[in-house]
Amino acid sequence: MKTEIPVHEALAIVRQHAKPLAEKEQVPLARGLGRVLAEDLPARCDHPDVANTAVDGYAVRAADTEGASPAHPVALRLVGESPAGRPYEGKLGPGEAVAIFTGSPLPEGADAVVAVEHTRREGERVLVFKPGSAKDIRPKGDDFNRGEVLLHKGDLLTPGRIGLAAAMGHAEVPVVRKPRVGILSTGDEVVPPGEPLPPGGVYDSNSYAVAALVAGAGGEPVILGRAKDDRTELKAQLAAAGELDLLLTSGGVSMGEYDLVRRLLEEEGEIYFWKILQRPGHPPIFGRYRNTLVFGLPGNPVSAMVVFFLYGRPMLFAMLGRNDPPYRRIRVRIEDFFKGAKGKVAFRRAALEYRPGAGFVARSAGNQSSGAIRTMAEGHALVAVPPDRNLNPGDEAWAIPFDPEALGAPGLPEAF
Ligand code: AMP
Ligand code: MG
């Protein structure tokens, strides 16, 4: 068993044990958001499938409208129209025009378009004040061609990718099965929210916070409830977890007398590592109980969340085969004091602000106790304080945002 290992080594070990899931399922596109593609997707059509117009106006032959101007308009004979979905059947002859509308196919024989604002309709005649041009024609396959692979195995389905899959002709998409992740809170003092709180009791925040993180990483959380600090009960819960891809426990992994998770793994499973050189989140344990991968998160609410975020999230990404990174780092300027830790990386909760010209600046989100969950709600990121030092105003450091998409100044640029 390895112990007191650095962050990068812990990350390498969890990734090594998180095997990509082989099972796929077909889901209707409308249910695809947030799922991960299990196969490459080729386009089933050209897009557009025929040349069409980007503007409302008239399809013409460029040669007919050469030299047209407001002073010397060219008169063309209107022979029909080509609304979207109902193409003009005939062929455009010399001196003829066909009315067209954004997205409608260009009739055969036409090689140019005149936008409606450069024309005047006079009965069956169209006066053209400007030469027709091809710049408003979207050629066949302008966006993509049939057979092109535009979406790849491991791609997270975003709204843009769902739109693309639909445009490529896919009604359903093959996605990776969601990893099933059991969440078991341990501790005699832990009480479900909603029940009366006995003296010395603590509401179970870990089950809910970690379940939300699991769902956010693309997994399916299975809240198993609470196990007492009792060997028999805990053992039964661990043994029942065989259907899961991963079991997360919280509490019971530090040095205390009641730290049963660690002892059960020690006696009836295998421990890959115990304790990481970081704070908060020093005591996690990672191993296997019979056939189930088990990640023992610390009981402290902040530690449980930070440890899942840093190690559990990359595990789920690996199981899903996701192409996108589980987190991102940004460079920030410190505007506050962040206390470090001896021999350990300290991950401090920070509030980030985007300052035009200065980039991101970081202030402490407040109480940095690993029991103080309030700052997980009020902060945006973890600032990494290197071992054996503090960060002071003016220093630069790395921050890992909880939600990189939530960064940046709100709203559109002022000029809009
Ligand atoms: P432990 O790791 O079991 O020693 O717990 C460390 C601290 O975390 C103690 O103060 C516990 O009361 C608290 N704690 C343990 N489990 C939970 C939980 N599910 N929700 C909130 N706090 C918890
Ligand atoms: Mg406990």
Side-chain angles (χ1 to χ4, degrees):
M1 175 186 79
K2 294 188 178 235
T3 187
E4 303 287 356
I5 59 173
V7 168
H8 67 86
E9 192 178 345
L11 203 48
I13 294 173
V14 298
R15 283 202 162 117
Q16 176 194 328
H17 289 278
K19 300 274 179 286
L21 301 177
E23 301 96 312
K24 314 168 184 180
E25 58 200 40
Q26 287 287 125
V27 295
L29 208 45
R31 303 194 59 84
L33 186 66
R35 302 299 299 269
V36 178
L37 279 181
E39 291 167 20
D40 289 353
L41 280 194
R44 292 184 167 159
C45 57
D46 298 317
H47 189 244
D49 73 323
V50 294
N52 71 25
T53 171
V55 296
D56 292 340
Y58 296 91
V60 300
R61 295 152 56 108
D64 289 346
T65 60
E66 250 172 54
S69 71
H72 302 282
V74 170
L76 298 175
R77 198 153 50 81
L78 186 61
V79 294
E81 58 172 26
S82 179
R86 206 148 40 80
Y88 178 70
E89 308 257 309
K91 184 175 172 189
L92 197 77
E96 292 178 345
V98 165
I100 49 174
F101 311 90
T102 303
S104 63
L106 217 65
E108 203 190 328
D111 60 1
V113 168
V114 187
V116 70
E117 55 268 33
H118 304 300
T119 64
R120 192 168 72 229
R121 175 91 176 261
E122 284 186 349
E124 293 308 298
R125 253 170 33 131
V126 185
L127 294 183
V128 172
F129 303 118
K130 202 181 167 187
S133 109
K135 77 170 176 17
D136 290 323
I137 298 173
R138 304 170 180 150
K140 168 184 161 83
D142 187 34
D143 195 8
F144 55 78
N145 288 112
R146 182 192 185 91
E148 261 188 274
V149 174
L150 301 170
L151 293 170
H152 297 91
K153 180 179 168 158
D155 284 349
L156 179 71
L157 287 173
T158 57
R161 289 180 179 148
I162 286 176
L164 177 56
M168 295 197 305
H170 296 272
E172 292 188 332
V173 280
V175 296
V176 183
R177 170 173 73 75
K178 287 187 178 190
R180 277 188 293 274
V181 182
I183 299 162
L184 180 67
S185 289
T186 73
D188 287 348
E189 77 284 26
V190 176
V191 177
E195 287 186 9
L197 193 66
V202 53
Y203 282 128
D204 177 10
S205 59
N206 291 349
S207 289
Y208 299 95
V210 172
L213 288 169
V214 165
E220 186 176 306
V222 182
I223 293 181
L224 301 170
R226 186 210 42 172
K228 292 253 181 208
D229 288 317
D230 169 84
R231 196 186 158 88
T232 318
E233 185 179 335
L234 188 60
K235 214 175 139 165
Q237 290 269 20
L238 288 182
E243 293 292 286
L244 301 166
D245 298 296
L246 173 65
L247 174 65
L248 301 170
T249 63
S250 83
V253 289
S254 57
M255 294 291 262
E257 200 181 332
Y258 295 102
D259 297 340
L260 292 166
V261 175
R262 177 173 54 82
R263 287 205 259 149
L264 277 174
L265 290 193
E266 220 163 47
E267 291 163 21
E268 299 188 32
E270 198 179 344
I271 297 178
Y272 303 130
F273 69 71
W274 177 40
K275 294 187 177 174
I276 308 173
L277 292 171
Q278 71 171 61
R279 191 177 294 275
H282 179 229
I285 193 160
F286 177 56
R288 193 176 280 280
Y289 183 84
R290 300 184 186 161
N291 279 326
T292 312
L293 273 185
V294 178
F295 206 117
L297 305 171
N300 271 308
V302 174
S303 313
M305 288 188 77
V306 167
V307 169
F308 178 82
F309 182 67
L310 292 177
Y311 304 97
R313 187 172 158 89
M315 276 179 87
L316 296 194
F317 273 50
M319 288 176 180
L320 287 161
R322 283 175 68 158
N323 296 331
D324 53 328
Y327 28 75
R328 294 174 185 277
R329 62 181 192 275
I330 55 169
R331 208 65 183 152
V332 297
R333 198 152 47 80
I334 302 298
E335 281 205 335
D336 215 338
F337 175 73
F338 286 93
K339 193 166 162 34
K342 193 160 170 284
K344 300 185 179 79
V345 182
F347 292 103
R348 301 300 183 201
R349 279 93 82 198
L352 301 188
E353 192 189 323
Y354 180 75
R355 291 262 172 79
F360 286 100
V361 295
R363 301 187 68 81
S364 171
N367 191 343
Q368 297 286 346
S369 152
S370 54
I373 192 158
R374 173 175 174 172
T375 40
M376 286 303 289
E378 293 173 355
H380 308 120
L382 298 174
V383 161
V385 188
D388 304 312
R389 53 170 295 203
N390 301 318
L391 292 174
N392 291 290
D395 285 346
E396 279 206 353
W398 289 113
I400 307 166
F402 298 128
D403 178 8
E405 287 175 14
L407 294 180
L412 291 170
E414 273 159 31
F416 299 158

